[in-house]
Amino acid sequence: MSILDWISLLDNFKRKGIKVIHRSALEAIYVGKDTSLSVIINRLERRGLIKRITKNWICIPPCEIWEIIKIVFPTAYISLEWALHYHEIMDQEIKVVTLVWLDKTRTITNTYRFEIHKISRKLYFGFDEKRIAEPEKALLDTIYIRKKIPPELNIELLNINKLLNYANNFPKRVQSEIHKLIKEQL
């Protein structure tokens, strides 16, 4: 297959709405040596036609982070600083995409940097269909996992009743931090 064939193949995937692809799908199409496929993937990436997500996953740009998460990490949701920035609770731009799930904590770095944290089943809630934590849940997850309140928050954008309601599921130290934060804002 020539590079033009690969470009046509990627365009075909995009037309079908497929933006995130596992290497095995490319292997099923490609007849040749495994090392040759790696070279082809490198060339496609250098040309900006694909982006590596993890070792065996690629995406066809443009691809939103939530589209990647739903396919590559289907049991995770995006939270902490990334979700706070997404909801404009934090103004600071975030480079690391932080995920929360029920599996082991780990970090994955390639084109994207994913920091994945384990959370208890009791705290696995509060995210939308895009698998992005609601702002109140993202703040609570941040305090729970980072053990501190992030600086310079736009607290006025939060639903305080929802925040307090969600906080009831978290340990006392998180509840205490939330009450202190709310008291400082009044």
Side-chain angles (χ1 to χ4, degrees):
M1 289 178 72
S2 72
I3 198 74
L4 292 176
D5 293 331
W6 283 102
I7 292 169
S8 174
L9 179 72
L10 294 175
D11 285 341
N12 192 31
F13 277 130
K14 272 203 297 196
R15 274 194 300 280
K16 291 179 181 176
I18 300 169
K19 294 182 178 181
V20 180
I21 304 165
H22 193 269
R23 181 185 174 103
S24 61
L26 300 178
E27 289 169 352
I29 295 163
Y30 179 68
V31 180
K33 295 180 181 177
D34 189 45
T35 53
S36 299
L37 181 58
S38 294
V39 170
I40 291 165
I41 290 171
N42 286 335
R43 287 178 183 161
L44 293 170
E45 185 177 29
R46 273 197 311 273
R47 291 178 182 208
L49 298 169
I50 63 168
K51 284 186 174 183
R52 289 181 203 258
I53 301 167
T54 68
K55 182 181 176 187
N56 290 314
W57 288 96
I58 63 163
C59 70
I60 306 168
C63 196
E64 298 290 335
I65 288 294
W66 62 268
E67 293 174 303
I68 294 169
I69 301 311
K70 286 177 87 168
I71 303 295
V72 180
F73 308 104
T75 61
Y77 64 92
I78 303 166
S79 192
L80 282 81
E81 297 89 355
W82 197 97
L84 289 170
H85 176 71
Y86 175 83
H87 292 295
E88 300 179 353
I89 305 302
M90 284 181 73
D91 294 327
Q92 177 183 347
E93 188 176 346
I94 306 301
K95 304 260 188 245
V96 177
V97 181
T98 310
L99 309 175
V100 175
W101 67 357
L102 301 173
D103 208 347
K104 294 177 184 172
T105 295
R106 62 186 177 152
T107 300
I108 298 170
T109 303
N110 216 317
T111 301
Y112 301 95
R113 177 159 184 199
F114 297 105
E115 190 178 280
I116 312 169
H117 292 274
K118 181 177 182 166
I119 200 162
S120 73
R121 189 167 299 283
K122 177 184 173 188
L123 300 177
Y124 186 78
F125 67 91
F127 50 90
D128 62 20
E129 67 283 346
K130 290 183 178 179
R131 306 201 67 77
I132 300 173
E134 297 171 356
E136 297 80 11
K137 180 63 165 60
L139 177 58
L140 291 163
D141 285 345
T142 303
I143 295 168
Y144 178 68
I145 291 169
R146 303 276 189 240
K147 298 181 176 31
K148 64 181 182 177
I149 297 172
E152 301 177 29
L153 297 173
N154 299 318
I155 300 293
E156 66 279 359
L157 299 176
L158 294 171
N159 178 328
I160 300 302
N161 290 331
K162 184 186 277 189
L163 181 64
L164 292 170
N165 185 36
Y166 282 2
N168 290 329
N169 296 294
F170 283 81
K172 296 289 183 206
R173 73 169 173 80
V174 175
Q175 293 178 32
S176 173
E177 289 290 327
I178 287 299
H179 287 291
K180 188 167 59 174
L181 178 65
I182 292 170
K183 191 179 281 187
E184 288 172 2
Q185 297 303 310
L186 297 176

